[in-house]
Amino acid sequence: KAGVTQTPRYLIKTRGQQVTLSCSPISGHRSVSWYQQTPGQGLQFLFEYFSETQRNKGNFPGRFSGRQFSNSRSEMNVSTLELGDSALYLCASSLSGTIGNTIYFGEGSWLTVV
Amino acid sequence: SQQGEEDPQALSIQEGENATMNCSYKTSINNLQWYRQNSGRGLVHLILIRSNEREKHSGRLRVTLDTSKKSSSLLITASRAADTASYFCATDEAGGYNKLIFGAGTRLAVHP
């Protein structure tokens, strides 16, 4: 069974540009969530989607957005990139979101903003 | 903001020794999960313990949970060089829909 797949793995963008990251969850998983990892702030929750609906959102500016498609695949978008957006972006999936759900992570997308 | 705090921040041991990492959290939880992260890679799920469980085993891993003290520990027995990684605990808030709150992690170095 394939794990959580994220693309691209590495990318470099310029300040002011926008970026879209993609995530394919484990087959059968309907919940997809996104996290940002930086040396200074650690791992922080961005948002979670289930059946194409955003159920929870972290404390990030509106430049960070996401969506989920009917096949459970998800994308996140960051507009007007800032240097501080440089981070490892991790996608995670789980069956639903109820108690006892194991949450599995992908390898992440490394974003460097220059 | 981070809910959990891991202790110690860094741990250096020899192969064959046991490694114990501790995690504290602040609010009521449904579950607590432990993850491993090798440098520059994603998070690998190690073990999940529910709030009504006190201890769980998986291979060389033993996890305990004390909800009265809001703390958990991860014990890795007979450590190997391949166990060198950062270890994170993550809790999910009641009704939080898979919103995990991570601690800062413990960096474990196992020397051959």
Side-chain angles (χ1 to χ4, degrees), chain B residues 7-56:
Chain B
D7 166 45
Q9 290 186 338
L11 183 59
S12 181
I13 60 174
Q14 299 295 125
E15 266 192 330
E17 294 181 339
N18 295 342
T20 300
M21 289 159 266
N22 303 296
C23 164
S24 61
Y25 56 92
K26 298 175 183 173
T27 64
S28 295
I29 62 171
N30 290 329
N31 313 293
L32 186 144
Q33 308 192 48
W34 283 91
Y35 292 88
R36 184 187 75 231
Q37 185 178 41
N38 292 87
S39 182
R41 307 295 298 274
L43 298 173
V44 174
H45 185 268
L46 296 176
I47 201 163
L48 177 151
I49 186 166
R50 292 178 172 78
S51 59
N52 61 353
E53 297 176 316
R54 293 296 167 256
E55 186 170 315
K56 217 164 174 186

Side-chain angles (χ1 to χ4, degrees), chain A residues 20-98:
Chain A
T20 299
L21 308 177
S22 180
C23 173
S24 293
I26 293 171
S27 178
H29 285 193
R30 297 170 64 188
S31 170
V32 174
S33 48
W34 289 88
Y35 293 79
Q36 181 197 65
Q37 185 177 26
T38 60
Q41 298 298 316
L43 283 150
Q44 294 189 290
F45 172 81
L46 280 159
F47 26 66
E48 188 263 359
Y49 289 88
F50 181 82
S51 293
E52 303 178 66
T53 300
Q54 186 182 88
R55 298 193 298 186
N56 207 343
K57 189 177 189 303
N59 189 24
F60 279 83
R63 302 184 297 107
F64 291 82
S65 63
R67 59 178 176 168
Q68 186 182 34
F69 302 97
S70 58
N71 60 0
S72 293
R73 193 176 66 86
S74 177
E75 289 181 347
M76 67 162 284
N77 183 276
V78 187
S79 62
T80 319
L81 284 165
E82 301 176 357
L83 295 178
D85 297 331
S86 294
L88 176 64
Y89 289 88
L90 292 161
C91 173
S93 79
S94 71
L95 277 172
S96 59
T98 55

Side-chain angles (χ1 to χ4, degrees), chain B residues 38-100:
Chain B
N38 292 87
S39 182
R41 307 295 298 274
L43 298 173
V44 174
H45 185 268
L46 296 176
I47 201 163
L48 177 151
I49 186 166
R50 292 178 172 78
S51 59
N52 61 353
E53 297 176 316
R54 293 296 167 256
E55 186 170 315
K56 217 164 174 186
H57 297 255
S58 177
R60 295 184 294 113
L61 306 180
R62 172 178 170 256
V63 167
T64 62
L65 178 63
D66 186 335
T67 53
S68 66
K69 295 181 180 178
K70 292 186 169 56
S71 67
S72 174
S73 68
L74 170 67
L75 168 67
I76 304 174
T77 59
S79 295
R80 306 165 182 168
D83 294 327
T84 295
S86 291
Y87 291 81
F88 296 89
C89 71
T91 55
D92 57 355
E93 300 174 333
Y97 296 123
N98 284 341
K99 177 182 178 180
L100 291 179

